[in-house]
Amino acid sequence: METKTKVSKDFPKGKVAYFVTTNIHKFLEAHNVLSEYKIATAKLKVEATEIQDDSLENIAKFSAHDAVKNSGLPIFVGDAGLFVEALNGFPGPYSAFVYRTVGPQGILDLMQNKTNRNAYFQTVIAYCEPNGEPKTFCGKVEGTICMEQKGDLGFGYDPIFVPNRGDGRTFAQMSTDEKNVYSHRAEALRKFAEWYSGVGKRIF
Ligand code: IMP
């Protein structure tokens, strides 16, 4: 899933990473993970087109390019999806649209007679610098779709997703730090952070 990147040598390197998102929950997840690597996260509001595509990686790369073009800054973006086995991977890359239209209850309704509750979340983080190509980092968490919504923390499909490695609670019943132990986004962010801490021996 990782792609080759062209990181310009003369671009000022620093331990700040600009996250293009309007979602405070995603920002806090990123802030907490990246701070483990002594990287400060800045939340940036920039226009970034989200294309429709079957591949999260393509969507994330396109948004990253667009956000760099519109901001002139090195940035990272994330694109995620919930893939439900009994629904042949639906909503997958269309998770945002499905969330806006029918929400988590719509997924539960579609799953009413399904005994196979397996699902996974996937995130692709795309980092891009001006005049560079995006570099991507992938994270995935396996779990199940529960029978009813539980919990009021987090966002999106958190109330219906129970990670396999957890203790039976949904993501919406976990604090940000607990969710970060298991989550797709945290895994992708850790891969990004390890790479970002090392590249170009960032010095400030
Ligand atoms: P996005 O591409 O990151 O915006 O994610 C697509 C959709 O999936 C969003 O509308 C969110 O509601 C949902 N989503 C993304 N990440 C998560 C997560 O960590 N938990 C629950 N829902 C998520």
Side-chain angles (χ1 to χ4, degrees):
M1 187 59 92
E2 288 193 15
T3 56
K4 283 200 168 156
T5 190
K6 207 176 73 189
V7 178
S8 54
K9 290 200 177 64
D10 53 355
F11 199 88
K13 305 290 190 286
K15 288 195 175 175
V16 177
Y18 295 96
F19 186 11
V20 176
T21 183
T22 52
N23 183 319
I24 189 67
H25 302 283
K26 290 184 193 172
F27 171 75
L28 288 175
E29 289 175 21
H31 170 273
N32 290 8
V33 170
L34 297 191
S35 63
E36 290 166 21
Y37 295 81
K38 306 213 179 331
I39 298 166
T41 309
K43 184 165 165 291
L44 204 61
K45 196 174 167 197
V46 178
E47 285 294 316
T49 309
E50 197 172 316
I51 55 165
Q52 290 288 2
D53 195 280
D54 287 349
S55 149
L56 294 181
E57 187 177 10
N58 288 346
I59 300 170
K61 280 176 160 180
F62 193 95
S63 296
H65 252 309
D66 216 36
V68 169
K69 199 175 74 194
N70 294 334
S71 67
L73 289 167
I75 54 85
F76 71 96
V77 300
D79 201 73
L82 173 67
F83 296 76
V84 181
E85 203 170 280
L87 305 178
N88 299 320
F90 182 82
Y94 305 98
S95 294
F97 176 73
V98 172
Y99 181 77
R100 283 197 302 274
T101 50
V102 296
Q105 191 56 47
I107 298 293
L108 290 184
D109 293 346
L110 285 173
M111 297 284 290
Q112 240 172 18
N113 300 315
K114 308 285 187 196
T115 47
N116 176 359
R117 313 293 296 185
N118 295 338
Y120 65 87
F121 266 118
Q122 197 162 18
T123 281
V124 175
I125 296 286
Y127 172 81
C128 194
E129 294 185 354
N131 306 315
E133 288 302 315
K135 182 170 176 67
T136 56
F137 306 85
C138 189
K140 182 176 175 179
V141 55
E142 308 264 5
T144 53
I145 302 297
C146 55
M147 301 303 289
E148 58 182 12
Q149 299 192 48
K150 286 184 207 154
D152 49 18
L153 302 173
F155 69 100
Y157 301 101
D158 281 346
I160 63 169
F161 186 83
V162 179
N164 285 346
R165 291 194 300 115
D167 57 7
R169 284 177 300 154
T170 66
F171 272 161
Q173 294 174 300
M174 298 181 185
S175 68
T176 301
D177 285 340
E178 284 175 307
K179 180 179 171 185
N180 275 346
V181 173
Y182 310 106
S183 98
H184 51 116
R185 183 167 299 97
E187 186 188 9
L189 286 164
R190 282 189 194 101
K191 290 179 186 171
F192 164 59
E194 272 163 31
W195 172 81
Y196 191 68
S197 316
V199 165
K201 301 216 179 342
R202 294 164 194 272
I203 49 166
F204 58 93

